[in-house]
């Protein structure tokens, strides 16, 4: 599933390719990805508008239109938002495209989703505020300090890994970057959140921010179907220290990394020697 860095990369790529362009044609070949709007209403509200910007909020891409509506795309497992020349869409892209917007520049904005578990919504500003208002802290915003994370952790007895992956507490940190941040901070992922000291919370905050920033800088990690807005894979997978490295040597202490699914049913990889 794309996490914050992948969605940030997609949103920036889409912005660079389509901001300022007008949507001339709207097609919804697979309307089951739509939420909160019918295909007919979607087409009517979107056609003829100009794209003001594309940005990330949590794990969503928010494309704001000049009629104040926003397209809200949540790629989830296999979704990709491609901004490319219409002639460059492959047969694979076309087959799995659920929503297709034709722009005045000759580009298209295509939401492609093989399993169609992702969603596309259209929201007015009020609904947008309500929808995102329920979510947790943005880890790359200034307010996300060590003290803030310490307060969030202190309110839960759940394993620290589960808490930092909880979208109602901190947004955008999924399984890959939770594993990485906990490894960097030297914290055992199964520890009860309310037993994490303020100093450890501060280290963990720094590790979360660093791992997300580095992943954005390398265009995200390529896991399964993730592609950026121009259809390219990300490079961060090569730098992962914990995720996907079960039974390999810890880069910090040389001990063998351990894999467990006992914390949250997901793959957790950690070093029992230097994460405590
Ligand atoms: Zn180690």
């Amino acid at each position: 599933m794309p996490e914050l860095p992948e969605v940030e990369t997609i949103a920036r790529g889409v912005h660079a390719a389509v901001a300022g362009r007008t949507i001339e044609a709207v097609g919804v070949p697979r309307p089951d990805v739509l939420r909160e709007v019918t295909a007919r209403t979607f087409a009517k509200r979107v056609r003829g508008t100009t794209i003001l910007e594309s940005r990330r909020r949590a794990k969503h891409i928010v494309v704001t239109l000049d009629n104040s509506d926003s397209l809200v795309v949540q790629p989830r497992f296999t979704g990709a938002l491609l901004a490319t020349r219409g002639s460059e869409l492959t047969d694979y892209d076309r087959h799995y495209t659920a929503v297709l917007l034709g722009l005045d520049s000759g580009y298209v904005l295509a939401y492609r989703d093989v399993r169609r578990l992702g969603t596309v919504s259209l929201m007015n500003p009020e609904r947008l505020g309500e929808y995102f208002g329920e979510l947790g802290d943005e880890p790359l915003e200034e307010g996300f300090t060590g003290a803030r994370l310490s307060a969030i952790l202190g309110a839960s007895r759940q394993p620290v890994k589960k808490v930092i992956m909880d979208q109602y507490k901190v947004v955008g940190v999924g399984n890959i970057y939770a594993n990485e941040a906990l490894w960097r901070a030297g914290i055992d992922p199964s520890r009860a959140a309310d037993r994490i000291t303020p100093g450890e919370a501060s280290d963990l905050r720094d590790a979360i921010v660093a791992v997300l920033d580095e992943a954005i800088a390398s265009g995200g990690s390529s896991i399964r179907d993730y592609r950026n807005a121009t259809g390219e894979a990300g490079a961060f997978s090569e730098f992962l220290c914990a995720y996907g490295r079960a039974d390999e040597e810890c880069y910090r202490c040389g001990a063998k990394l351990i894999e467990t699914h006992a914390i949250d049913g997901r793959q957790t990889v950690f070093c029992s020697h230097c994460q405590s």
Side-chain angles (χ1 to χ4, degrees):
M1 180 168 337
E3 301 183 24
L4 186 154
E6 291 76 40
V7 180
E8 179 79 31
T9 302
I10 296 169
R12 289 181 186 182
V14 167
H15 183 85
V18 306
R21 306 318 312 197
T22 296
I23 299 170
E24 291 185 330
V26 180
V28 188
R30 296 173 186 271
D32 56 346
V33 301
L34 292 179
R35 293 292 182 279
E36 309 195 15
V37 67
T38 63
R40 179 192 287 250
T41 303
F42 179 85
K44 200 192 289 182
R45 275 164 63 182
V46 168
R47 190 179 298 123
T49 62
T50 295
I51 295 170
L52 298 181
E53 66 163 2
S54 161
R55 64 190 169 86
R56 180 197 58 78
R57 175 74 175 90
K59 292 190 201 175
H60 303 61
I61 302 143
V62 179
V63 179
T64 307
L65 308 175
D66 69 346
N67 68 351
S68 82
D69 278 336
S70 292
L71 282 167
V72 179
V73 178
Q74 186 175 21
R76 301 196 67 201
F77 295 94
T78 56
L81 189 62
L82 305 171
T84 180
R85 292 192 177 282
S87 57
E88 286 172 8
L89 284 183
T90 64
D91 287 346
Y92 177 86
D93 294 332
R94 288 185 182 281
H95 184 73
Y96 291 109
T97 289
V99 177
L100 184 66
L101 307 178
L103 310 179
D104 61 351
S105 57
Y107 271 59
V108 294
L109 193 55
Y111 179 66
R112 182 195 78 192
D113 195 340
V114 176
R115 291 171 63 194
R116 295 208 303 290
L117 295 167
T119 59
V120 176
S121 324
L122 193 63
M123 298 186 192
N124 64 28
E126 187 187 5
R127 175 67 187 131
L128 194 70
E130 179 185 87
Y131 184 79
F132 288 115
E134 296 172 352
L135 297 179
D137 284 38
E138 281 283 351
L140 298 183
E141 286 183 0
E142 277 187 9
F144 188 68
T145 60
R148 172 69 186 151
L149 180 59
S150 187
I152 291 169
L153 296 177
S156 176
R157 290 181 178 174
Q158 291 207 305
V160 57
K161 179 178 178 235
K162 273 187 98 162
V163 175
I164 61 173
M165 286 177 62
D166 181 341
Q167 299 304 297
Y168 295 98
K169 298 195 167 80
V170 180
V171 299
V173 181
N175 198 41
I176 298 172
Y177 300 110
N179 273 296
E180 291 303 300
L182 288 159
W183 180 85
R184 283 195 195 200
I187 296 171
D188 182 330
S190 68
R191 282 211 12 230
D194 63 356
R195 306 302 294 270
I196 303 290
T197 68
E200 288 172 326
S202 183
D203 290 346
L204 182 56
R205 177 267 172 203
D206 292 348
I208 290 171
V209 171
V211 79
L212 294 175
D213 278 342
E214 288 168 30
I216 291 168
S218 35
S221 302
S222 286
I223 305 295
R224 302 198 189 94
D225 270 18
Y226 164 71
R227 292 293 181 273
N228 68 18
T230 53
E232 292 160 344
F236 192 69
S237 327
E238 297 161 30
F239 305 108
L240 297 176
C241 295
Y243 183 84
R245 296 195 66 247
D247 297 329
E248 293 180 40
E249 282 181 9
C250 173
Y251 288 138
R252 191 165 40 215
C253 74
K256 203 178 189 188
L257 296 177
I258 291 170
E259 176 176 355
T260 175
H261 288 77
I263 296 172
D264 52 10
R266 309 283 303 275
Q267 184 194 67
T268 298
V269 179
F270 71 106
C271 177
S272 62
H273 186 245
C274 67
Q275 288 177 254
S276 57

